[in-house]
Amino acid sequence: MSDLFRDVTPEDADLQPIIDGLFAEYAARYGDYFSKDAEIELTEWYLAPQGLFIVLERDGEIIATGAYKPFDVHTAEIKRIWTDKTLRQQGLAARVVQELERRAVLAGYSGIYLTTGFRQPEAVKLYLSQGYAPQFDLDRDPEEYSQPPFDGRLRFTKTLVREAFSKSA
């Protein structure tokens, strides 16, 4: 059993069922909550040199995904973190996040920004465990962030330190 990261484009045919499944999971959790301001995504945002979309494969099967796109000139925004339902709670998402961070540093970014939804406690736990700083009050009921003046998104940031990645590379 060997795991391998592979760069893909968001339009990769192997990726489409996974992305569809990811959005189905969001719909099951949130209904149409986020549809009122659905994101417009451009493929080129996820292409090198400014962006990246990766899959983690095991024996030729995609088991996890992740991506980043530019948030600003110094900051990458992590998106599309997904792990196969049958393989969750095994650290795969953390591996994807770490690879995205490593690659963001190589691309010249010095920070990461990301959002997750107010009904994704497992994602909050993941990002906290990876050293991300919440830009919201962890002591509040996350459902409060679904009401005005909030937009349902829980924001995180992290400063990337190039030296931390040069030792492990």
Side-chain angles (χ1 to χ4, degrees):
M1 176 171 70
S2 66
D3 295 352
L4 173 71
F5 282 106
R6 179 171 60 95
D7 295 12
V8 296
T9 74
E11 296 171 344
D12 188 301
D14 294 338
L15 198 55
Q16 293 319 301
I18 291 165
I19 297 299
D20 292 345
L22 177 63
F23 282 102
E25 282 187 50
Y26 292 159
R29 261 184 221 229
Y30 297 104
D32 64 357
Y33 179 87
F34 286 111
S35 65
K36 66 182 180 299
D37 57 354
E39 288 182 76
I40 295 173
E41 299 258 310
L42 300 178
T43 297
E44 57 263 25
W45 292 345
Y46 295 101
L47 302 177
Q50 77 276 0
L52 177 70
F53 209 117
I54 59 173
V55 297
L56 181 60
E57 294 181 333
R58 179 175 292 159
D59 301 324
E61 295 293 321
I62 297 173
I63 60 172
T65 68
Y68 68 72
K69 65 181 184 177
F71 182 71
D72 64 35
V73 68
H74 302 289
T75 310
E77 180 178 3
I78 287 183
K79 304 287 284 183
R80 308 298 172 250
I81 301 297
W82 169 87
T83 303
D84 182 297
K85 281 183 185 182
T86 65
L87 300 172
R88 292 184 178 165
Q89 301 299 313
Q90 297 181 23
L92 297 174
R95 287 179 55 200
V96 169
V97 168
Q98 291 161 9
E99 179 67 8
L100 290 171
E101 290 174 358
R102 185 182 76 78
R103 299 281 296 274
V105 164
L106 292 174
Y109 291 109
S110 58
I112 296 279
Y113 169 84
L114 65 87
T115 65
T116 192
F118 62 95
R119 291 186 182 147
Q120 291 176 262
E122 63 284 344
V124 170
K125 183 178 173 185
L126 167 68
Y127 300 128
L128 291 172
S129 76
Q130 296 300 303
Y132 283 79
Q135 305 302 299
F136 59 95
D137 184 349
L138 288 169
D139 295 324
R140 285 182 98 148
D141 177 350
E143 289 289 326
E144 290 181 39
Y145 290 102
S146 70
Q147 303 300 315
F150 305 106
D151 65 2
R153 291 173 178 84
L154 305 178
R155 292 161 173 80
F156 290 85
T157 59
K158 184 175 183 179
T159 300
L160 299 174
V161 180
R162 180 174 292 278
E163 291 75 28
F165 292 97
S166 63
K167 293 174 187 164
S168 63

